Amino acid sequence: MANSILVGAQWGDEGKGKIIDFLTDEADIVVRSQGGNNAGHTIVHGKDKFVLHLIPSGILRRGKICVIANGVVVDPLALTGEIRALRERGITVGKNLLLSDCAHLVMPWHRLLDEQREVRNGKNKIGTTKRGIGPAYGDKAARTGLRVGDLLDGETFARKLKLRLAENNAVLRSLGAKPVAFRPLLESYLAAADELRPFITNTVVMLHEAMARGKSLLFEGAQGTFLDIDHGTYPFVTSSNTTAGGACTGSGIPPHRMDTVIGVMKAYTTRVGEGPFPTENAGLSDMLHGMGREFGATTGRARRCGWFDAVAARYAAMINGIDKLAITNLDGLDEVPVIKVCTAYRLDGKTLRHPPADTDAWARCTPVYETHEGWMKSTSHARKFGELPPAARRYVRTLSSLTGAKPGIVSVGAAHDQTIRL
Ligand code: IMO
Ligand code: MG
């Protein structure tokens, strides 16, 4: 039984939810190991569309266990809201969900600070989801965070909360923002604690025991490689390790127990929020938005769109050790007569095969393109690789050879069956 890590290989929104759902057939346990409710993973089951933010996508399947592991930052009110919304739609959330007692809590001041920093940064803003993710991971690293386990004892939680709130209210006041009131905050978090109590456990031990019984794990990455706090387009990144290594630290499963890394990438590129994006293209953005595609699942923002960036993709394959590619949204290019692919960057008279570390330099890179003929035919009914138009097959092979990773899955639509295995 293999343990697999699934990562986004671009700037997030690669279609991870759909691919996770597809791969869940072969897994026993689906694990979220980083990020928070900044993620928005969309899964379409028949006529039903679900968007999950904190709960692993496996929750939609009977008999699958879902784990929110230690590396995730959890907004307890968002989590209880998500649990309730799923239950209202007839999805069972009970013994099939486990929440790490070591996961850090997102507090209201994190959301307020996130917002304040964005406002104060003005045109230099990051374009965050305003879910408090950066400040929550900031507290974790500063060793001033509160954790899920702190919710288990009301009195201890109240004491810790009071201390933390005093400091954060001082910061909020200094930024000209309204402080947070203690009582209602305590009450809402303790109410959430009561709802979450049955799920809270040591997920490290639970996962290791499950592996000892031969169970297989699927790690559901959130965000994408170039939003990684270490490897992304810093500071236009999120605050966790979105790359494959994050699955280990974020869950307590050692590297040598991981068997495969699946990198999910769109057949083109998108990014939401600010930051460098050399292959961004207004024409392609307009076309995709005109088709009703590429609007954010978490914030509803229109995503920036551009051509496939093989410089970035190659780097993503390297950092994550991608064994298999899942290429999504191939159908998004069905009506594009000439498709461009960026194979190198030009910067200050030099040709680059890897992205530069400096974000300003990355932003100044101009793409070197090769062009591919489009297939100008719907691919959405293809179920086998051989059923794709020849130009589409050539395009998939091109992405694979430029990236240096084998294609394993091609997705031609949001539905479960619009999936081709290679
Ligand atoms: P999924 O899992 C796309 C982006 C934000 C912003 C930057 C920092 O659905 O792929 P944050 O709120 O994390 O501090 O914002 O990261 N971002 C995402 N973009 N998909 C996501 O998640 C994202 N999560 C965060 O837009 O640019
Ligand atoms: Mg998203």
Side-chain angles (χ1 to χ4, degrees):
M1 286 272 182
N3 295 332
S4 314
I5 302 175
L6 179 135
V7 291
Q10 293 162 322
W11 276 279
D13 299 330
E14 296 91 349
K16 296 181 290 292
K18 150 147 188 185
I19 303 298
I20 282 282
D21 184 55
F22 190 78
L23 295 173
T24 296
D25 285 340
E26 295 147 35
D28 300 298
I29 303 174
V30 186
V31 186
R32 272 283 304 270
S33 51
Q34 44 72 228
N37 61 330
N38 49 347
H41 295 173
T42 306
I43 296 111
V44 176
H45 275 181
K47 287 203 176 87
D48 294 325
K49 178 176 158 181
F50 296 89
V51 182
L52 295 158
H53 300 286
L54 267 169
I55 300 178
S57 302
I59 202 77
L60 303 176
R61 303 293 200 84
R62 270 177 204 286
K64 306 292 174 180
I65 302 293
C66 292
V67 174
I68 301 175
N70 55 279
V72 177
V73 288
V74 177
D75 181 330
L77 306 187
L79 180 55
T80 50
E82 201 167 316
I83 292 169
R84 261 179 263 137
L86 284 171
R87 283 178 175 159
E88 273 163 26
R89 295 182 68 181
I91 305 295
T92 303
V93 185
K95 287 198 161 54
N96 54 346
L97 179 66
L98 295 139
L99 170 61
S100 167
D101 47 11
C102 288
H104 275 250
L105 294 174
V106 177
M107 304 303 294
W109 59 77
H110 293 138
R111 283 196 308 274
L112 292 167
L113 286 171
D114 193 355
E115 207 172 309
Q116 282 300 320
R117 285 181 189 152
E118 286 286 270
V119 171
R120 294 169 83 87
N121 277 336
K123 66 174 179 38
N124 297 319
K125 69 175 196 261
I126 297 168
T128 73
T129 61
K130 301 206 180 106
R131 299 297 191 270
I133 305 299
Y137 276 114
D139 267 348
K140 173 177 173 173
R143 296 150 297 172
T144 49
L146 293 167
R147 306 200 291 182
V148 165
D150 291 324
L151 289 171
L152 291 170
D153 179 71
E155 265 173 49
T156 318
F157 183 70
R159 186 171 45 77
K160 290 186 179 176
L161 182 69
K162 198 161 240 166
L163 282 172
R164 301 308 317 136
L165 186 63
E167 182 184 316
N168 284 284
N169 273 344
V171 177
L172 284 171
R173 277 195 206 93
S174 77
L175 295 173
K178 258 179 66 180
V180 180
F182 176 69
R183 270 289 139 203
L185 168 58
L186 178 66
E187 278 161 21
S188 63
Y189 270 61
L190 289 184
D194 280 340
E195 277 184 63
L196 296 178
R197 197 176 306 275
F199 308 113
I200 301 173
T201 188
N202 181 333
T203 54
V204 175
V205 172
M206 174 264 157
L207 287 171
H208 278 268
E209 285 175 355
M211 281 197 304
R213 293 197 309 275
K215 302 289 180 196
S216 63
L217 315 181
L218 175 59
F219 290 84
E220 175 171 356
Q223 291 83 49
T225 297
F226 298 104
L227 293 173
D228 184 284
I229 183 82
D230 285 284
H231 302 291
T233 46
Y234 192 91
F236 301 101
V237 293
T238 191
S239 301
S240 63
N241 283 114
T242 60
T243 43
C248 296
T249 52
S251 67
I253 303 303
H256 73 284
R257 300 302 305 270
M258 301 295 189
D259 301 294
T260 36
V261 179
I262 299 143
V264 187
M265 42 181 80
K266 280 179 177 149
Y268 46 95
T269 311
T270 67
R271 127 164 251 180
V272 56
E274 308 305 315
F277 184 0
T279 64
E280 186 168 15
N281 183 275
L284 191 61
S285 286
D286 290 346
M287 184 206 81
L288 291 163
H289 295 149
M291 293 160 82
R293 303 172 81 113
E294 303 306 346
F295 292 93
T298 298
T299 58
R301 290 177 288 178
R303 296 177 186 141
R304 301 156 66 192
C305 306
W307 302 112
F308 188 85
D309 183 342
V311 178
R314 203 157 40 225
Y315 201 62
M318 193 157 95
I319 297 170
N320 294 296
I322 295 175
D323 302 298
K324 285 266 167 65
L325 290 180
I327 297 170
T328 62
N329 289 266
L330 186 69
D331 54 312
L333 298 177
D334 283 354
E335 288 163 35
V336 182
V338 178
I339 301 170
K340 291 186 183 182
V341 174
C342 166
T343 55
Y345 295 156
R346 293 283 298 166
L347 178 69
D348 301 332
K350 292 199 184 85
T351 301
L352 305 186
R353 296 253 311 153
H354 301 294
D358 179 62
T359 297
D360 291 333
W362 198 334
R364 285 192 296 111
C365 287
T366 53
V368 177
Y369 285 120
E370 57 179 42
T371 53
H372 295 265
E373 60 164 322
W375 41 97
M376 300 304 283
K377 238 190 220 152
S378 172
T379 54
S380 61
H381 297 288
R383 297 294 176 267
K384 294 197 181 105
F385 193 61
E387 290 169 14
L388 287 172
R393 271 181 272 157
R394 277 197 297 279
Y395 185 67
V396 168
R397 286 196 205 100
T398 300
L399 301 194
S400 155
S401 74
L402 287 172
T403 312
K406 286 195 186 81
I409 292 173
V410 175
S411 169
V412 292
H416 189 77
D417 67 331
Q418 290 180 303
T419 315
I420 298 166
R421 256 198 197 275
L422 278 86

